[in-house]
Each structure stands twice: as C-alpha cells, then as structure tokens.
Amino acid sequence: MAAKETVYVISDSVGETAEFVVKAVATQFNGGNIAIRRSSYVEDTEDLEDAIMMAKQGNSIIAYTLVVPALKEYLDRRTKEEGITAIDLLSPLMDAFIKKFNKEPEHRPGLMRRLDDDYFRKVDAIEFAVKYDDGRDPRGVEKADIVLIGVSRTSKTPLSMYLAHHRYKVANVPLVPEVAPPDEIFSIQRGKCVGLIITPDKLNEIRKERLKALGLTSHANYASFERILEELDYAEKIMKRVGCPIINVSNKAVEETASLILDVLKIERSSTR
C-alpha cells in the first residue's frame, strides 16, 4: 500500500485555519487521502527548522499561517534554500486588506482564538440569563456575576439579556409581597446585587400598556396604584435588608441603566478591597 502524501501545517497559533484549508483542497484529490502533520504555536526558528527538515525528508508541502513577520521571512528563506514548496495562506488576503482598507495588521498570533473564546463566553452568559430569569432557579444567585432584584416591569429581563451580550452572567429575582424572596439574596456577595426601582406613575403607565397588550382590562389589580405602592414599599424594604445599591430605571433606556449598573457595582467592589 502506497504511503499517504503529507502536508506539514505550520502556525504561530493553533493552526486550525491552515488545516481546514488543506483538507478542503485535499478533498479534490483522491478523496482527501492525505496526511496532515501540524506544528502549532511556533515561537522561534528552532521550531521552524524541525518542521522544515521533516518536510524535506518526506518531500512534502508546507502550508502555513504565520503572522509574525520574522518567522514568515525565515520560513520563506529556508524553504527556498531547501527546495521545499511552502504556501503562505494568509499574506495574499492580508495584503488585499492593507491596500483596500489602508490599515496595518497587528501581527499578533492567536487573535482568532481570542475572538472564539469571547463568542462562547457571550453564548454562555445568554444561556445563563435565560436559565435564571425571573427567579426561576435561586441557585443562579450564587453563580451569577450580577443579580438584579425589583418588582415586575422594572426591565430586569431586558437588562439581563443586554448585560449577557457583554459577557456578564446575570440572574434576576422578582420581588412580590406574597412570595418570600430566596434566602440566597440575603447572603449575596457585596458588589454583586443591584435593586431596581421606578416611580409609581411610570410603573402604572407601563403595566397598563402591558395589560392592554395581553387583551386584559387596565383596571386589573396589577396596574392599580394601591397595588403598585404596596409592591414598591415591599421591594424597598427587601433592598435595604440586602444592602444593595438602588437604581431608578424611570425613563431610562436599557443601555443607560446597564451602564449605571456596571458603574455602581464597580464602586461597590472597590470599596470592599
């Protein structure tokens, strides 16, 4: 049985991009029956020499993604001296970016991996916000980066999702006079919880609109001033017991409130150090 043709993939990062491209090309030749040998996180010329010698012995191709100029220049020179075919997978597109957008690349390896990690942290935070929304599971209070407490219609859920898109794991807990809040919020770490309040007039307006959207009468107890004042008074007592900073969300956009939340928590955390 004939030995497989081999392509050496060299990268100053993981090398996944180069390997994917090589595999895509290889499928066009004999169904992709080719061996790939990856040299990842190449940091110096010694690492390059190892891969160059192996490629020379096997009469193989080198495909590489090197963003550090010194490593690229060394590899180009040495492969030319050794008569090895070396394919630069990044430079053509990199050069096009430079010419078209008139910007210089950072020449730092691993940036794609950092972007991937950032993306997955965001996904985790969004899933967390959904799982621990509206006090669904009090265990989220202990796991969260930020905990929001307040009466219904103080933007707890929109704020949780907005902050999740900024990679914060947020749990929110509704405060209702008839339902005791979870014990976890009273032992919460300082600098982690924020109470959300709103003026009675604004809450009345919002709740009436909510009832209208649901096809219900605006005279329901949910939107009555007496009920709203009762809830706000109860929520204030809980927030004082928790000892958390309080933000009034009346007439504030979600983005503005989120910024205030991060600011006050930063102050709270710094005061405990």
Side-chain angles (χ1 to χ4, degrees):
M1 183 178 177
K4 285 185 177 181
E5 298 291 345
T6 302
V7 174
Y8 285 86
V9 166
I10 300 176
S11 177
D12 43 22
S13 185
V14 181
E16 290 176 337
T17 301
E19 183 169 340
F20 182 82
V21 173
V22 170
K23 285 180 177 178
V25 173
T27 57
Q28 303 297 319
F29 299 88
N30 196 27
N33 187 30
I34 194 167
I36 297 175
R37 301 284 182 264
R38 193 199 297 184
S39 294
S40 302
Y41 301 111
V42 169
E43 295 181 344
D44 51 40
T45 56
E46 187 176 336
D47 292 336
L48 289 176
E49 279 297 333
D50 291 340
I52 290 168
M53 289 301 102
M54 287 189 291
K56 182 177 181 180
Q57 291 171 11
N59 192 28
S60 304
I61 292 173
I62 290 177
Y64 68 89
T65 52
L66 296 173
V67 297
V68 177
L71 293 178
K72 171 183 160 42
E73 289 166 10
Y74 182 88
L75 182 61
D76 286 343
R77 177 173 60 81
R78 289 290 294 119
T79 51
K80 187 174 181 179
E81 290 172 352
E82 298 294 344
I84 300 169
T85 299
I87 309 300
D88 181 352
L89 299 176
L90 293 183
S91 286
L93 189 54
M94 194 94 75
D95 291 341
F97 269 54
I98 293 170
K99 292 176 183 176
K100 183 66 177 177
F101 305 127
N102 196 29
K103 292 181 179 180
E104 288 297 319
E106 294 190 36
H107 297 300
R108 284 194 293 146
L111 294 182
M112 187 65 183
R113 173 59 60 182
R114 292 190 188 102
L115 285 173
D116 288 345
D117 291 344
D118 184 67
Y119 170 77
F120 287 117
R121 282 199 301 273
K122 184 187 295 185
V123 170
D124 286 344
I126 292 171
E127 290 177 347
F128 187 95
V130 172
K131 183 175 181 179
Y132 297 109
D133 181 44
D134 208 31
R136 203 169 294 167
D137 185 342
R139 291 175 298 181
V141 170
E142 297 174 341
K143 300 175 185 177
D145 299 319
I146 299 171
V147 178
L148 305 177
I149 59 175
V151 301
S152 173
R153 314 315 294 177
T154 48
S155 300
K156 295 186 301 300
T157 296
L159 282 165
S160 295
M161 295 306 297
Y162 181 87
L163 289 165
H165 277 84
H166 289 76
R167 301 173 300 286
Y168 293 98
K169 292 183 177 180
V170 185
N172 71 76
V173 179
L175 299 179
V176 185
E178 293 79 14
V179 181
D183 293 336
E184 286 84 353
I185 71 169
F186 298 111
S187 58
I188 200 167
Q189 179 183 344
R190 185 175 175 83
K192 191 174 176 180
C193 182
V194 172
L196 305 176
I197 61 169
I198 189 171
T199 62
D201 288 344
K202 187 64 179 177
L203 185 55
N204 175 255
E205 177 187 328
I206 292 172
R207 287 190 174 182
K208 281 184 176 179
E209 287 300 317
R210 177 61 175 165
L211 289 172
K212 189 185 300 182
L214 294 173
L216 301 173
T217 173
S218 61
H219 298 293
N221 187 46
Y222 176 71
S224 73
F225 258 98
E226 184 179 354
R227 173 64 183 181
I228 285 172
L229 291 173
E230 179 189 2
E231 287 188 34
L232 291 174
D233 182 59
Y234 172 77
E236 186 177 350
K237 289 177 181 176
I238 295 296
M239 291 172 193
K240 286 181 178 178
R241 184 179 165 192
V242 172
C244 62
I246 297 172
I247 293 176
N248 191 323
V249 302
S250 305
N251 302 313
K252 286 186 176 68
V254 168
E255 298 85 351
E256 182 183 0
T257 306
S259 179
L260 287 171
I261 289 170
L262 297 178
D263 287 344
V264 298
L265 289 185
K266 185 177 180 181
I267 293 170
E268 286 289 309
R269 288 167 184 169
S270 63
S271 67
T272 61
R273 290 175 185 170

